Amino acid sequence: MDNSLFNPKQQEIDTSSKIVAGLERISEVFKVLLWEKAKLVGLSPIQIQILIFIAFHKQELCNVSHLAKEFNVTKPTISDAVKVLDKKGMVLKDFSISDSRSYSLQLTELGKKLVKETNDFAKPLKKHIDKFNESELVSLFSTLSELIYKLNRSGILTVQRTCFGCTFYQKDNGLNYCNLLQKELKVTEIRLDCPEFEEKASG
């Protein structure tokens, strides 16, 4: 128990434990901001997340199976949330894919309106991040993007669309390069959610 990363005494002697505790605090910020917005519009946090995801991602990712992986919840949880969104007239089910039992989701005009009202829920957090100088932002982003990639490789984070795991990405002499864009990537050009992402074959 003494060496638990949640023990303040452990945090005093181990910077990694302190960082994990800090990340936990930041995850709480997201929950609080999302809940506040959810209460205002009469939806649950996961329903808001689904609407925002559909608004900004290609249709083949907007199905129950992928959304369950994306938000690390069960398919029934997503199905229940979708049922409510469908009933409220915020999403449409598109059965025009090869498997007649599954469907992709599209936003209705009402759904788009809700996204406009809710997709700024994390703005209070961004406002504080904006106060860091450019070199601090580059350093923070570099660390976060590598951490996300490593968590995905170890199976903790089930979905990621970052450059590091993409078949088009390569690193030569310490430089990041995208073979799709055919350009060198600065640290700040590394994407965390790339529309053209294609998973690199393992092995």
Side-chain angles (χ1 to χ4, degrees):
M1 288 287 281
D2 287 349
N3 64 354
S4 166
L5 56 87
F6 296 106
N7 184 342
K9 288 181 181 172
Q10 171 67 11
Q11 292 170 21
E12 283 172 26
I13 58 169
D14 180 46
T15 306
S16 292
S17 294
K18 204 178 280 187
I19 290 168
V20 171
L23 289 171
E24 187 204 17
R25 293 283 176 90
I26 289 170
S27 76
E28 288 301 319
V29 170
F30 271 91
K31 284 183 200 165
V32 168
L33 293 173
L34 196 48
W35 263 114
E36 283 177 1
K37 191 64 82 168
K39 283 185 281 188
L40 281 176
V41 296
L43 293 174
S44 71
I46 190 67
Q47 287 161 4
I48 290 176
Q49 287 175 299
I50 289 169
L51 289 174
I52 293 172
F53 185 88
I54 295 169
F56 299 109
H57 292 85
K58 51 191 177 184
Q59 204 174 340
E60 55 257 45
L61 297 179
C62 300
N63 57 65
V64 170
S65 294
H66 184 84
L67 289 165
K69 286 184 196 165
E70 186 74 30
F71 297 113
N72 217 16
V73 296
T74 63
K75 286 184 190 177
T77 298
I78 295 292
S79 293
D80 288 346
V82 167
K83 270 181 205 159
V84 175
L85 292 172
D86 186 28
K87 205 171 179 181
K88 288 182 180 244
M90 294 178 188
V91 295
L92 289 171
K93 295 177 181 178
D94 182 357
F95 289 90
S96 63
I97 43 183
S98 54
D99 183 355
S100 61
R101 292 165 303 169
S102 62
Y103 53 84
S104 60
L105 294 160
Q106 297 174 343
L107 295 180
T108 62
E109 287 308 310
L110 181 59
K112 289 173 189 173
K113 180 173 175 285
L114 254 291
V115 169
K116 281 182 185 170
E117 289 175 25
T118 57
N119 79 95
D120 63 346
F121 78 89
K123 250 190 182 166
L125 179 58
K126 185 181 183 298
K127 193 169 77 175
H128 289 284
I129 293 171
D130 284 342
K131 291 173 185 171
F132 288 103
N133 66 43
E134 188 62 24
S135 65
E136 288 170 326
L137 288 171
V138 170
S139 175
L140 179 58
F141 178 72
S142 175
T143 304
L144 277 176
S145 55
E146 287 203 36
L147 177 60
I148 287 168
Y149 175 64
K150 286 174 180 174
L151 288 170
N152 173 256
R153 292 290 103 174
S154 66
I156 297 169
L157 193 62
T158 51
V159 174
Q160 58 81 34
R161 289 177 290 278
T162 180
C163 295
F164 300 134
C166 181
T167 191
F168 299 119
Y169 171 82
Q170 71 181 74
K171 192 160 192 165
D172 284 326
N173 301 318
L175 298 174
N176 302 302
Y177 190 83
C178 176
N179 287 303
L180 179 67
L181 301 176
Q182 301 216 318
K183 63 175 275 194
E184 186 187 317
L185 302 171
K186 296 182 206 161
V187 169
T188 50
E189 290 178 313
I190 294 290
R191 296 176 180 181
L192 292 184
D193 191 356
C194 178
E196 284 84 33
F197 175 82
E198 286 186 22
E199 190 164 2
K200 195 184 289 180
S202 54

